[in-house]
């Protein structure tokens, strides 16, 4: 069964071409509010010229997600329990096969 992380790993693996991964990659870190930040480099990928304006969903002070593309980087931030939803949103943006079968509870609750 696919998970958000396994699909993200597949996306990453497909872009590792013995060059891309030396300059670009994926970073997941924490925020001090608390929350998460997900940054995925899109340079030298099929998404390098794609734009995505900032989008924000606020459900509560601790349940929120924001995403955008800035300087060839997909950047998403979210609340402490929104990391999986952030990854799923990226996978949807990237058109990753299998994402439609994910059972990300936070994402399903909003759909």
């Amino acid at each position: 069964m696919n998970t958000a992380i396994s699909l993200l790993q597949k996306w990453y693996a497909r872009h590792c071409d013995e060059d891309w991964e030396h300059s670009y990659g994926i970073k997941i870190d924490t925020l001090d509010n608390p929350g998460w930040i997900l940054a995925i480099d899109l340079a030298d990928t099929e998404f390098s010229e794609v734009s995505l304006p900032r989008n924000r969903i606020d459900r509560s002070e601790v349940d929120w997600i924001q995403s955008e593309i800035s300087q060839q980087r997909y950047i998403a931030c979210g609340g402490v329990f929104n990391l999986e939803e952030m990854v799923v949103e990226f996978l949807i943006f990237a058109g990753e096969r299998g994402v439609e079968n994910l059972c990300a509870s936070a994402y399903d609750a909003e759909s």
Side-chain angles (χ1 to χ4, degrees):
M1 179 174 145
N2 285 324
T3 65
I5 295 299
S6 69
L7 291 174
L8 184 61
Q9 291 173 150
K10 289 176 185 177
W11 185 92
Y12 173 74
R14 276 198 317 280
H15 291 85
C16 290
D17 60 3
E18 298 182 12
D19 187 36
W20 183 84
E21 66 273 17
H22 292 282
S23 299
Y24 308 111
I26 298 172
K27 292 186 173 84
I28 299 173
D29 205 349
T30 56
L31 301 172
D32 63 359
N33 56 347
W36 298 97
I37 183 166
L38 169 68
I40 302 173
D41 290 313
L42 301 176
D44 293 337
T45 74
E46 66 274 29
F47 303 106
S48 62
E49 300 300 319
V50 175
S51 64
L52 182 69
R54 182 175 293 165
N55 180 39
R56 185 170 173 107
I57 300 169
D58 284 303
R59 296 181 199 102
S60 73
E61 278 190 36
V62 296
D63 184 8
W64 59 277
I65 185 172
Q66 174 179 301
S67 60
E68 68 181 307
I69 292 178
S70 177
Q71 299 177 350
Q72 294 186 314
R73 181 178 274 181
Y74 182 94
I75 302 169
C77 301
V80 71
F81 296 110
N82 295 101
L83 179 58
E84 185 174 12
E85 180 182 8
M86 292 161 49
V87 172
V88 169
E89 287 295 321
F90 170 75
L91 296 168
I92 291 169
F93 158 78
E96 190 67 23
R97 293 181 60 197
V99 70
E100 62 277 356
N101 298 323
L102 292 179
C103 296
S105 59
Y107 177 74
D108 290 342
E110 185 60 23
S111 296

